[in-house]
Amino acid sequence: MKAPITVSVTGAAGNIGYALLFRIASGDCFGKDQPVRLRLLEITPAMGALEGVVMELNDAAFPLLHSIDISDDAGVAFSGANQVFLVGSKPRGPGMLRSDLVRTNGPIFTGQGRAINDNAADDVRAVVVGNPCNTNAYIAMKSAPDVPAERFTAMTRLDQNRAISQLAGKLGKTAGSIGKMGIWGNHGPSMFADYFHAECDGTPVTELIGADWLKDTFLSTVSKRGKAIINARGKSSAASAASAAIDHMATWYHGTAAGEWTSMAIPSKGWYGVPEGLIFSFPVTVTDGQYSVVEGIEHSDFARAKIQATIDELAGEREAVQDLLS
Ligand code: NAD
Ligand code: LMR
């Protein structure tokens, strides 16, 4: 049996936390041979609810679950953390944009970035789920100057999964038939689900599905899916978000299969004209825990305009949080 790794999860008593923790503990994320130590963070008023979640985790008797520690102190919760899920933050309600949350949620990520900087393990890797996740990841990254910037990522895997599901449904296939479905930019209304390079069992989907459906129905359904779920459920997506967070960290940990792409929002190094430092979703491959942006993708004028729009949206969000960065 391997030595346990330490996995920290914030917002652990929330909706996503409830769906996420049991899958981490069961080995769905880091492997069926990888024991985990859970370190869970909540705000003080939610510690009682978190104790209930811990009882349930214990009652599931997961063989890989080495230990569980809970705290309302970020320094304690990130102590020795190898893998971090930053979920804890307010979700939007009906009629709100994700970017409306930036002034409420942004400050959470200055403190948690510092706490990761000061307490996490040297190999720490973090995914931000709490919205607006790209800009919150930017805040956390800037607040953790001793941690290599590329260790901070944000989650666009849910958008990728939604896009795959829409294409598979349209083609009467299952999700496993769809490949190379890259998401570019922000987990926000401007995201670009690049169907031009997506494939179904190796055939470009543009050869199988009409251009109008892809350009209009597909793009709009994927980018507005979060809002559609809030309108239907009265609460934002939780189980699918937790599943996507598992997918994101599992792929970062285990790697992509040959020929496979995934989407991760990562600090840009200027790839494809995206300004350096923006936490921007690109198609990537992953080997030995290191991601690499897929090179040489050609964009039509339409795709280029979409990418510029999402650059502009993210640059605006970054501008709006400059005062939070010291
Ligand atoms: P929730 O309200 O059910 O749970 C959030 C939890 O975070 C609560 O238990 C709350 O007490 C806790 N929390 C708040 N501030 C905290 C802090 N400073 N430290 C630690 N914990 C804190 O919300 P949820 O449905 O679990 O959603 C959480 C976040 O994830 C929201 O911002 C939501 O918009 C976002 N989200 C992102 C995606 C994505 O694709 N990136 C998808 C779904 C939801
Ligand atoms: C989602 O895409 O489901 C989440 O970001 C929640 C939201 O506010 O849309």
Side-chain angles (χ1 to χ4, degrees), residues 10-17 41-43 46 87-92 98 101 105 108 112 128-133 136 155-156 158-159 162 187 236-238 241 244:
T10 72
N15 281 303
I16 294 175
L41 181 69
E42 259 298 347
I43 52 172
V87 180
S89 52
K90 199 169 176 251
R92 67 172 165 157
R98 296 184 188 94
L101 294 168
N105 287 343
I108 294 173
Q112 293 187 356
V128 177
V129 175
N131 278 319
C133 60
N136 289 337
M155 185 173 93
T156 49
L158 180 55
D159 308 303
R162 288 167 171 168
H187 176 64
S236 64
S237 63

